[in-house]
Amino acid sequence: MKKIILGLFLILGAMSFAAARGLDINKVNKAGYQLSKQDDFSAIIDKMTDTEGTSIAIFFEIVENNAAKELFNGAKKSAPEVLKLVNTSETKRAYIAKYKGTDGPYFSYAFISKKLKFKDTFTTVIYTTDKDLNGSELDKVANSFFNQVESFLR
């Protein structure tokens, strides 16, 4: 599982992070997440258990056109070699990439928000689990993460 957690990759690779405005740290901590990095324009929070790992990057004040698509493409490019891309999909709310671990029986999912309730704010969620999710299950999980992220924002 430690390799999996190392595999919570995408978000962080190519971008430099430094204290996010509008993030309610008390709500983040209450939900079991730990703040691992923050700056004026982004925050990264993590939550690990014996069977699952979640890493969430929240980006503030991104005004570029196609920002979500660019985040998605960056996430796919920065995936570790131990993950094999199984497929990608798109919903009304998210870009989704599904990976299968080549070094164990696990899956990693990258969920990139197209739009949150907060203007110019995007999030990338890396979720690693032993569950093989498909179709509406993926959509449900992505929406659950995005709703949770929105609840952390002020």
Short mmCIF file of all heavy atoms in Angstrom, two decimals, residues 20-67:
data_model
loop_
_atom_site.label_atom_id
_atom_site.label_comp_id
_atom_site.label_asym_id
_atom_site.label_seq_id
_atom_site.Cartn_x
_atom_site.Cartn_y
_atom_site.Cartn_z
N ALA A 20 -3.47 28.37 0.74
CA ALA A 20 -4.73 28.53 0.05
C ALA A 20 -5.70 29.39 0.83
O ALA A 20 -5.94 29.15 2.01
CB ALA A 20 -5.34 27.18 -0.24
N ARG A 21 -6.26 30.33 0.14
CA ARG A 21 -7.32 31.14 0.74
C ARG A 21 -8.62 30.38 0.63
O ARG A 21 -8.84 29.66 -0.33
CB ARG A 21 -7.47 32.45 -0.02
CG ARG A 21 -6.25 33.30 0.01
CD ARG A 21 -6.50 34.46 -0.88
NE ARG A 21 -5.61 34.27 -2.03
CZ ARG A 21 -5.31 35.20 -2.88
NH1 ARG A 21 -5.84 36.38 -2.76
NH2 ARG A 21 -4.49 34.98 -3.87
N GLY A 22 -9.49 30.57 1.58
CA GLY A 22 -10.82 30.01 1.48
C GLY A 22 -10.95 28.55 1.85
O GLY A 22 -12.01 27.98 1.68
N LEU A 23 -9.92 27.94 2.37
CA LEU A 23 -10.00 26.54 2.77
C LEU A 23 -10.21 26.47 4.28
O LEU A 23 -9.44 27.04 5.05
CB LEU A 23 -8.71 25.82 2.38
CG LEU A 23 -8.68 24.32 2.60
CD1 LEU A 23 -9.71 23.61 1.73
CD2 LEU A 23 -7.29 23.78 2.29
N ASP A 24 -11.26 25.79 4.69
CA ASP A 24 -11.58 25.64 6.12
C ASP A 24 -10.84 24.43 6.66
O ASP A 24 -11.29 23.29 6.52
CB ASP A 24 -13.09 25.50 6.30
CG ASP A 24 -13.51 25.54 7.76
OD1 ASP A 24 -12.71 25.16 8.64
OD2 ASP A 24 -14.66 25.94 8.01
N ILE A 25 -9.70 24.68 7.29
CA ILE A 25 -8.83 23.60 7.78
C ILE A 25 -9.54 22.76 8.84
O ILE A 25 -9.33 21.54 8.92
CB ILE A 25 -7.51 24.17 8.34
CG1 ILE A 25 -6.74 24.90 7.24
CG2 ILE A 25 -6.64 23.08 8.93
CD1 ILE A 25 -6.40 24.05 6.04
N ASN A 26 -10.40 23.36 9.64
CA ASN A 26 -11.12 22.59 10.66
C ASN A 26 -12.01 21.53 10.01
O ASN A 26 -12.05 20.38 10.46
CB ASN A 26 -11.96 23.51 11.55
CG ASN A 26 -11.10 24.36 12.45
OD1 ASN A 26 -10.02 23.95 12.87
ND2 ASN A 26 -11.55 25.57 12.74
N LYS A 27 -12.71 21.88 8.94
CA LYS A 27 -13.54 20.91 8.23
C LYS A 27 -12.68 19.83 7.57
O LYS A 27 -13.05 18.66 7.55
CB LYS A 27 -14.40 21.61 7.17
CG LYS A 27 -15.55 22.39 7.75
CD LYS A 27 -16.40 22.98 6.64
CE LYS A 27 -17.55 23.78 7.20
NZ LYS A 27 -18.37 24.37 6.12
N VAL A 28 -11.55 20.23 7.03
CA VAL A 28 -10.63 19.28 6.41
C VAL A 28 -10.17 18.26 7.44
O VAL A 28 -10.24 17.05 7.21
CB VAL A 28 -9.42 20.03 5.79
CG1 VAL A 28 -8.32 19.06 5.39
CG2 VAL A 28 -9.85 20.87 4.60
N ASN A 29 -9.72 18.73 8.58
CA ASN A 29 -9.24 17.84 9.64
C ASN A 29 -10.36 16.97 10.20
O ASN A 29 -10.15 15.78 10.47
CB ASN A 29 -8.59 18.64 10.76
CG ASN A 29 -7.28 19.27 10.32
OD1 ASN A 29 -6.63 18.80 9.41
ND2 ASN A 29 -6.91 20.35 10.96
N LYS A 30 -11.54 17.55 10.35
CA LYS A 30 -12.68 16.80 10.88
C LYS A 30 -13.05 15.63 9.96
O LYS A 30 -13.50 14.59 10.41
CB LYS A 30 -13.88 17.73 11.06
CG LYS A 30 -14.94 17.20 12.00
CD LYS A 30 -16.05 18.20 12.17
CE LYS A 30 -15.80 18.98 13.43
NZ LYS A 30 -16.93 19.84 13.81
N ALA A 31 -12.84 15.80 8.66
CA ALA A 31 -13.13 14.75 7.68
C ALA A 31 -12.01 13.71 7.60
O ALA A 31 -12.10 12.77 6.82
CB ALA A 31 -13.38 15.37 6.31
N GLY A 32 -10.95 13.88 8.40
CA GLY A 32 -9.88 12.90 8.44
C GLY A 32 -8.72 13.18 7.50
O GLY A 32 -7.83 12.35 7.36
N TYR A 33 -8.73 14.34 6.85
CA TYR A 33 -7.64 14.70 5.94
C TYR A 33 -6.57 15.48 6.68
O TYR A 33 -6.84 16.15 7.67
CB TYR A 33 -8.17 15.57 4.79
CG TYR A 33 -9.02 14.82 3.81
CD1 TYR A 33 -10.40 14.74 3.99
CD2 TYR A 33 -8.47 14.19 2.71
CE1 TYR A 33 -11.20 14.06 3.08
CE2 TYR A 33 -9.25 13.51 1.80
CZ TYR A 33 -10.62 13.45 1.99
OH TYR A 33 -11.40 12.77 1.10
N GLN A 34 -5.37 15.39 6.14
CA GLN A 34 -4.25 16.18 6.64
C GLN A 34 -3.80 17.13 5.55
O GLN A 34 -3.69 16.74 4.39
CB GLN A 34 -3.07 15.26 7.01
CG GLN A 34 -3.38 14.28 8.11
CD GLN A 34 -3.67 14.98 9.43
OE1 GLN A 34 -2.98 15.90 9.82
NE2 GLN A 34 -4.71 14.53 10.10
N LEU A 35 -3.54 18.36 5.92
CA LEU A 35 -3.03 19.34 4.97
C LEU A 35 -1.55 19.06 4.77
O LEU A 35 -0.77 19.08 5.72
CB LEU A 35 -3.23 20.76 5.51
CG LEU A 35 -2.76 21.90 4.63
CD1 LEU A 35 -3.59 21.97 3.36
CD2 LEU A 35 -2.85 23.22 5.39
N SER A 36 -1.14 18.76 3.54
CA SER A 36 0.26 18.45 3.30
C SER A 36 1.02 19.61 2.66
O SER A 36 2.21 19.74 2.88
CB SER A 36 0.42 17.19 2.47
OG SER A 36 -0.19 17.32 1.22
N LYS A 37 0.34 20.44 1.87
CA LYS A 37 0.97 21.62 1.28
C LYS A 37 -0.08 22.68 1.05
O LYS A 37 -1.24 22.36 0.79
CB LYS A 37 1.64 21.29 -0.06
CG LYS A 37 2.84 20.40 0.04
CD LYS A 37 3.54 20.30 -1.29
CE LYS A 37 4.75 19.40 -1.14
NZ LYS A 37 5.61 19.42 -2.30
N GLN A 38 0.35 23.92 1.10
CA GLN A 38 -0.56 25.01 0.76
C GLN A 38 0.20 26.26 0.39
O GLN A 38 1.35 26.42 0.79
CB GLN A 38 -1.53 25.30 1.89
CG GLN A 38 -0.91 25.95 3.12
CD GLN A 38 -1.96 26.34 4.14
OE1 GLN A 38 -3.01 25.73 4.20
NE2 GLN A 38 -1.68 27.33 4.93
N ASP A 39 -0.43 27.09 -0.40
CA ASP A 39 0.08 28.41 -0.72
C ASP A 39 -1.10 29.31 -1.05
O ASP A 39 -2.24 28.93 -0.78
CB ASP A 39 1.12 28.36 -1.85
CG ASP A 39 0.55 27.93 -3.19
OD1 ASP A 39 -0.64 28.13 -3.45
OD2 ASP A 39 1.32 27.38 -3.99
N ASP A 40 -0.87 30.45 -1.65
CA ASP A 40 -1.96 31.36 -1.95
C ASP A 40 -2.91 30.83 -3.01
O ASP A 40 -4.05 31.26 -3.09
CB ASP A 40 -1.41 32.72 -2.42
CG ASP A 40 -0.84 33.53 -1.28
OD1 ASP A 40 -1.23 33.27 -0.12
OD2 ASP A 40 -0.01 34.41 -1.54
N PHE A 41 -2.45 29.92 -3.84
CA PHE A 41 -3.25 29.50 -4.99
C PHE A 41 -3.58 28.01 -5.02
O PHE A 41 -4.23 27.56 -5.96
CB PHE A 41 -2.53 29.89 -6.29
CG PHE A 41 -2.29 31.36 -6.36
CD1 PHE A 41 -1.03 31.87 -6.12
CD2 PHE A 41 -3.33 32.24 -6.64
CE1 PHE A 41 -0.80 33.24 -6.16
CE2 PHE A 41 -3.11 33.61 -6.68
CZ PHE A 41 -1.84 34.11 -6.44
N SER A 42 -3.14 27.26 -4.02
CA SER A 42 -3.43 25.82 -4.02
C SER A 42 -3.29 25.23 -2.63
O SER A 42 -2.68 25.83 -1.74
CB SER A 42 -2.49 25.10 -4.99
OG SER A 42 -1.17 25.21 -4.55
N ALA A 43 -3.87 24.06 -2.49
CA ALA A 43 -3.74 23.28 -1.25
C ALA A 43 -3.79 21.81 -1.62
O ALA A 43 -4.49 21.42 -2.56
CB ALA A 43 -4.87 23.62 -0.28
N ILE A 44 -3.04 21.01 -0.88
CA ILE A 44 -3.06 19.56 -1.07
C ILE A 44 -3.39 18.93 0.27
O ILE A 44 -2.75 19.22 1.28
CB ILE A 44 -1.71 19.04 -1.58
CG1 ILE A 44 -1.38 19.70 -2.91
CG2 ILE A 44 -1.75 17.51 -1.73
CD1 ILE A 44 0.01 19.41 -3.40
N ILE A 45 -4.41 18.08 0.25
CA ILE A 45 -4.82 17.37 1.46
C ILE A 45 -4.79 15.87 1.17
O ILE A 45 -5.03 15.43 0.04
CB ILE A 45 -6.21 17.82 1.96
CG1 ILE A 45 -7.28 17.62 0.89
CG2 ILE A 45 -6.15 19.27 2.40
CD1 ILE A 45 -8.69 17.95 1.35
N ASP A 46 -4.48 15.07 2.19
CA ASP A 46 -4.34 13.63 2.03
C ASP A 46 -5.08 12.90 3.14
O ASP A 46 -5.20 13.40 4.26
CB ASP A 46 -2.87 13.22 2.12
CG ASP A 46 -2.01 13.93 1.10
OD1 ASP A 46 -2.27 13.76 -0.10
OD2 ASP A 46 -1.08 14.65 1.51
N LYS A 47 -5.53 11.71 2.78
CA LYS A 47 -6.19 10.83 3.74
C LYS A 47 -5.81 9.39 3.39
O LYS A 47 -6.01 8.96 2.25
CB LYS A 47 -7.71 11.01 3.66
CG LYS A 47 -8.52 10.19 4.62
CD LYS A 47 -9.99 10.53 4.43
CE LYS A 47 -10.89 9.89 5.43
NZ LYS A 47 -12.29 10.31 5.22
N MET A 48 -5.25 8.66 4.33
CA MET A 48 -4.80 7.30 4.07
C MET A 48 -5.40 6.33 5.09
O MET A 48 -5.49 6.65 6.27
CB MET A 48 -3.27 7.21 4.18
CG MET A 48 -2.51 8.21 3.35
SD MET A 48 -2.89 8.10 1.61
CE MET A 48 -2.25 9.65 1.03
N THR A 49 -5.78 5.16 4.61
CA THR A 49 -6.19 4.06 5.47
C THR A 49 -5.40 2.84 5.03
O THR A 49 -4.58 2.91 4.12
CB THR A 49 -7.71 3.78 5.37
OG1 THR A 49 -7.99 3.24 4.07
CG2 THR A 49 -8.53 5.04 5.61
N ASP A 50 -5.70 1.69 5.64
CA ASP A 50 -5.01 0.46 5.25
C ASP A 50 -5.36 0.01 3.83
O ASP A 50 -4.58 -0.67 3.18
CB ASP A 50 -5.34 -0.68 6.22
CG ASP A 50 -4.72 -0.46 7.58
OD1 ASP A 50 -3.74 0.33 7.69
OD2 ASP A 50 -5.19 -1.06 8.56
N THR A 51 -6.54 0.38 3.36
CA THR A 51 -7.00 -0.11 2.05
C THR A 51 -7.22 0.98 1.00
O THR A 51 -7.45 0.66 -0.16
CB THR A 51 -8.32 -0.88 2.21
OG1 THR A 51 -9.30 -0.01 2.78
CG2 THR A 51 -8.14 -2.12 3.08
N GLU A 52 -7.17 2.24 1.40
CA GLU A 52 -7.43 3.32 0.45
C GLU A 52 -6.52 4.50 0.72
O GLU A 52 -6.09 4.72 1.86
CB GLU A 52 -8.88 3.81 0.56
CG GLU A 52 -9.90 2.77 0.19
CD GLU A 52 -11.33 3.27 0.32
OE1 GLU A 52 -11.60 4.18 1.12
OE2 GLU A 52 -12.18 2.74 -0.39
N GLY A 53 -6.28 5.25 -0.32
CA GLY A 53 -5.53 6.49 -0.19
C GLY A 53 -6.16 7.55 -1.07
O GLY A 53 -6.58 7.26 -2.19
N THR A 54 -6.25 8.75 -0.54
CA THR A 54 -6.84 9.86 -1.30
C THR A 54 -5.94 11.06 -1.16
O THR A 54 -5.53 11.43 -0.06
CB THR A 54 -8.25 10.22 -0.78
OG1 THR A 54 -9.06 9.05 -0.79
CG2 THR A 54 -8.88 11.30 -1.62
N SER A 55 -5.63 11.69 -2.28
CA SER A 55 -4.88 12.93 -2.29
C SER A 55 -5.68 13.91 -3.14
O SER A 55 -6.08 13.59 -4.26
CB SER A 55 -3.50 12.71 -2.89
OG SER A 55 -2.73 13.89 -2.79
N ILE A 56 -5.93 15.10 -2.58
CA ILE A 56 -6.75 16.10 -3.25
C ILE A 56 -5.96 17.39 -3.38
O ILE A 56 -5.46 17.91 -2.39
CB ILE A 56 -8.06 16.36 -2.47
CG1 ILE A 56 -8.87 15.08 -2.34
CG2 ILE A 56 -8.88 17.47 -3.14
CD1 ILE A 56 -10.10 15.20 -1.44
N ALA A 57 -5.87 17.89 -4.59
CA ALA A 57 -5.27 19.20 -4.83
C ALA A 57 -6.39 20.15 -5.21
O ALA A 57 -7.23 19.83 -6.06
CB ALA A 57 -4.23 19.14 -5.93
N ILE A 58 -6.41 21.30 -4.57
CA ILE A 58 -7.41 22.33 -4.86
C ILE A 58 -6.65 23.54 -5.39
O ILE A 58 -5.71 24.00 -4.76
CB ILE A 58 -8.21 22.70 -3.60
CG1 ILE A 58 -8.83 21.45 -2.97
CG2 ILE A 58 -9.29 23.74 -3.94
CD1 ILE A 58 -9.32 21.65 -1.55
N PHE A 59 -7.06 23.99 -6.55
CA PHE A 59 -6.40 25.12 -7.21
C PHE A 59 -7.34 26.31 -7.24
O PHE A 59 -8.48 26.19 -7.69
CB PHE A 59 -6.00 24.75 -8.64
CG PHE A 59 -5.13 23.53 -8.72
CD1 PHE A 59 -5.68 22.29 -9.02
CD2 PHE A 59 -3.78 23.61 -8.47
CE1 PHE A 59 -4.89 21.16 -9.09
CE2 PHE A 59 -2.97 22.49 -8.52
CZ PHE A 59 -3.53 21.26 -8.84
N PHE A 60 -6.86 27.46 -6.79
CA PHE A 60 -7.66 28.67 -6.73
C PHE A 60 -7.20 29.66 -7.80
O PHE A 60 -6.03 29.70 -8.16
CB PHE A 60 -7.51 29.33 -5.35
CG PHE A 60 -7.92 28.43 -4.22
CD1 PHE A 60 -6.99 27.64 -3.57
CD2 PHE A 60 -9.24 28.36 -3.81
CE1 PHE A 60 -7.36 26.80 -2.53
CE2 PHE A 60 -9.63 27.52 -2.78
CZ PHE A 60 -8.68 26.74 -2.14
N GLU A 61 -8.13 30.46 -8.25
CA GLU A 61 -7.86 31.57 -9.16
C GLU A 61 -7.22 31.13 -10.48
O GLU A 61 -6.32 31.78 -11.00
CB GLU A 61 -7.01 32.64 -8.48
CG GLU A 61 -7.71 33.25 -7.27
CD GLU A 61 -6.90 34.32 -6.59
OE1 GLU A 61 -6.07 34.97 -7.25
OE2 GLU A 61 -7.12 34.53 -5.39
N ILE A 62 -7.71 30.04 -11.02
CA ILE A 62 -7.27 29.60 -12.34
C ILE A 62 -8.27 30.16 -13.35
O ILE A 62 -9.44 29.78 -13.34
CB ILE A 62 -7.19 28.07 -12.45
CG1 ILE A 62 -6.13 27.53 -11.50
CG2 ILE A 62 -6.90 27.65 -13.88
CD1 ILE A 62 -5.99 26.03 -11.53
N VAL A 63 -7.82 31.05 -14.19
CA VAL A 63 -8.74 31.72 -15.11
C VAL A 63 -8.51 31.32 -16.57
O VAL A 63 -9.24 31.76 -17.45
CB VAL A 63 -8.64 33.26 -14.96
CG1 VAL A 63 -9.09 33.69 -13.58
CG2 VAL A 63 -7.23 33.74 -15.24
N GLU A 64 -7.53 30.49 -16.84
CA GLU A 64 -7.24 30.09 -18.21
C GLU A 64 -8.38 29.27 -18.79
O GLU A 64 -9.02 28.49 -18.09
CB GLU A 64 -5.94 29.26 -18.27
CG GLU A 64 -4.68 30.03 -17.98
CD GLU A 64 -4.39 30.16 -16.49
OE1 GLU A 64 -5.11 29.54 -15.68
OE2 GLU A 64 -3.46 30.88 -16.14
N ASN A 65 -8.61 29.44 -20.08
CA ASN A 65 -9.57 28.58 -20.78
C ASN A 65 -9.03 27.17 -20.78
O ASN A 65 -7.83 26.95 -20.83
CB ASN A 65 -9.76 29.06 -22.21
CG ASN A 65 -10.47 30.40 -22.28
OD1 ASN A 65 -11.21 30.77 -21.36
ND2 ASN A 65 -10.25 31.12 -23.35
N ASN A 66 -9.92 26.21 -20.73
CA ASN A 66 -9.55 24.79 -20.76
C ASN A 66 -8.66 24.36 -19.61
O ASN A 66 -7.88 23.42 -19.73
CB ASN A 66 -8.86 24.44 -22.09
CG ASN A 66 -9.76 24.70 -23.28
OD1 ASN A 66 -10.95 24.42 -23.22
ND2 ASN A 66 -9.19 25.25 -24.33
N ALA A 67 -8.75 25.04 -18.48
CA ALA A 67 -7.90 24.71 -17.33
C ALA A 67 -8.12 23.27 -16.87
O ALA A 67 -7.16 22.55 -16.59
CB ALA A 67 -8.16 25.67 -16.18
#
